Amino acid sequence: MKEIILAGGCFWGVEEYISRINGVEDTRVGYANGTRKNPTYEEVCTGTTGHAEACIVKYNEEIISLEELLDKFWKVIDPTALNRQGPDVGHQYRTGIYYIDDSDLNIIQKSLEEEQKKHSRAIVTEVEPLTCFYDAEEYHQNYLKKNPGGYCHIDLDSF
């Protein structure tokens, strides 16, 4: 299994969308690349922890490549929007691709370069190594599976 961490606004929708992709074996939401250890959701929402709402994605690269996974990720975010996705605004809603395996960086950069060709504004999606990840509270895990019809900034019916 390979792992990548994707941040695309509210983690509920990102997790639900990504979990539906063939080859994705597991997902978990949490808080990535901030400064506070073991933050709570309430602390992250203050914008003072530096964390992004994010989703760890475990995928089988024999079924889906990182390139294909990133192509699908780009479809559900606005990579030119700084600190916001849909109606959600704040530093924790920034977009990001956080990698664990240094060998993934070249693939990520090529994907970003291809995506940039589709936009007139600069892409602001962070591409950084993962420095930390803390699991979100249990009620956030698989939130939209537990709460069908719950809030989501991604139109899941269009995919």
Side-chain angles (χ1 to χ4, degrees):
M1 285 301 137
K2 291 276 292 185
E3 291 185 342
I4 194 80
I5 293 79
L6 302 174
C10 176
F11 50 25
W12 296 343
V14 173
E15 181 183 39
E16 180 60 25
Y17 169 72
I18 295 290
S19 73
R20 296 178 181 188
I21 297 171
N22 187 37
V24 170
E25 301 294 331
D26 192 33
T27 57
R28 194 169 77 249
V29 296
Y31 314 113
N33 280 26
T35 57
R36 181 162 299 152
K37 291 183 179 182
N38 295 308
T40 65
Y41 178 70
E42 289 74 20
E43 289 171 333
V44 171
C45 287
T46 68
T48 62
T49 68
H51 288 282
E53 289 193 16
C55 182
I56 286 187
V57 180
K58 292 182 182 180
Y59 63 99
N60 182 337
E61 64 184 332
E62 292 180 13
I63 298 173
I64 187 167
S65 67
L66 179 56
E67 294 93 339
E68 293 168 315
L69 188 60
L70 292 173
D71 284 347
K72 292 179 181 301
F73 175 64
W74 295 122
K75 288 179 179 12
V76 295
I77 65 166
D78 176 353
T80 67
L82 184 62
N83 298 330
R84 75 172 302 138
Q85 288 296 295
D88 300 315
V89 179
H91 188 64
Q92 72 271 25
Y93 298 119
R94 68 190 183 273
T95 58
I97 302 168
Y98 307 110
Y99 57 93
I100 298 168
D101 185 342
D102 288 339
S103 67
D104 289 340
L105 180 56
N106 190 41
I107 294 166
I108 296 165
Q109 288 175 326
K110 285 181 182 176
S111 178
L112 187 142
E113 289 167 9
E114 285 302 308
E115 184 65 21
Q116 182 61 69
K117 293 175 184 176
K118 301 173 188 174
H119 301 276
S120 58
R121 298 183 321 178
I123 287 179
V124 295
T125 300
E126 294 179 333
V127 174
E128 298 177 356
L130 182 69
T131 59
C132 64
F133 184 91
Y134 299 99
D135 285 352
E137 295 81 354
E138 184 57 35
Y139 74 92
H140 289 297
Q141 306 300 330
N142 296 301
Y143 182 85
L144 291 173
K145 284 183 177 35
K146 296 174 192 171
N147 300 279
Y151 167 76
C152 186
H153 69 288
I154 297 170
D155 181 3
L156 295 167
D157 293 332
S158 66
F159 296 100

